[in-house]
Amino acid sequence: QVRLAESGGGSVQAGESLSLSCAYTRTMYYMAWFRQAPGKEREGVAAIDRDGRTMYADSVKGRFTISKDNAKNTLYLQMNSLKFEDTAMYYCAADERWRYGGIWFASNSYNYWSQGTQVTVTS
């Protein structure tokens, strides 16, 4: 059984940084961070595939960095220059199946999800 254990999150002021971690029990082909703010749809934030290719939402490009440490089975999201609009519940997601063209921000294609962690940015 695959488990994703998320940690990090919290409350920071605008302009500050925060880091999220997601420990996984076995190597996945695709991993991603999603977020959902109250009253809004879930959106993809950053994704990475097994070979290290990454994709970012336009709203976080240049501010967020996704990475993974396969030796530690941990996915990371470094969030810098946080904005009020980054406030949301953040989830890590993973799937072990290769897909032609990738799945990136196709949330319905991810089979495993973390419990979520709240990130609150105060202005």
Side-chain angles (χ1 to χ4, degrees):
Q1 183 177 0
V2 175
R3 293 185 178 180
L4 302 178
E6 191 172 6
S7 59
S11 182
V12 296
Q13 292 188 333
E16 294 183 342
S17 298
L18 207 56
S19 180
L20 304 180
S21 299
C22 178
Y24 46 91
T25 51
R26 60 183 172 92
T27 301
M28 296 282 109
Y29 202 99
Y30 301 103
M31 299 199 74
W33 292 97
F34 289 81
R35 67 185 181 188
Q36 188 166 20
K40 294 187 177 181
E41 293 186 356
R42 182 170 54 191
E43 63 173 349
V45 175
I48 189 168
D49 72 5
R50 187 189 65 180
D51 298 323
R53 288 182 290 259
T54 59
M55 177 176 286
Y56 294 92
D58 288 342
S59 59
V60 306
K61 280 180 181 176
R63 300 188 298 121
F64 290 13
T65 302
I66 188 172
S67 62
K68 59 187 175 76
D69 186 333
N70 290 329
K72 296 182 179 180
N73 278 9
T74 303
L75 177 74
Y76 303 98
L77 184 67
Q78 177 65 40
M79 304 182 290
N80 298 329
S81 302
L82 282 161
K83 302 177 180 180
F84 175 76
E85 49 265 38
D86 294 319
T87 296
M89 186 71 78
Y90 283 71
Y91 302 88
C92 70
D95 200 272
E96 70 269 58
R97 300 164 292 178
W98 175 85
R99 311 288 181 83
Y100 179 78
I103 59 175
W104 303 112
F105 294 154
S107 59
N108 290 339
S109 296
Y110 286 88
N111 204 20
Y112 307 105
W113 291 84
S114 67
Q115 76 283 3
T117 189
Q118 179 68 36
V119 172
T120 301
V121 184
T122 58
S123 56

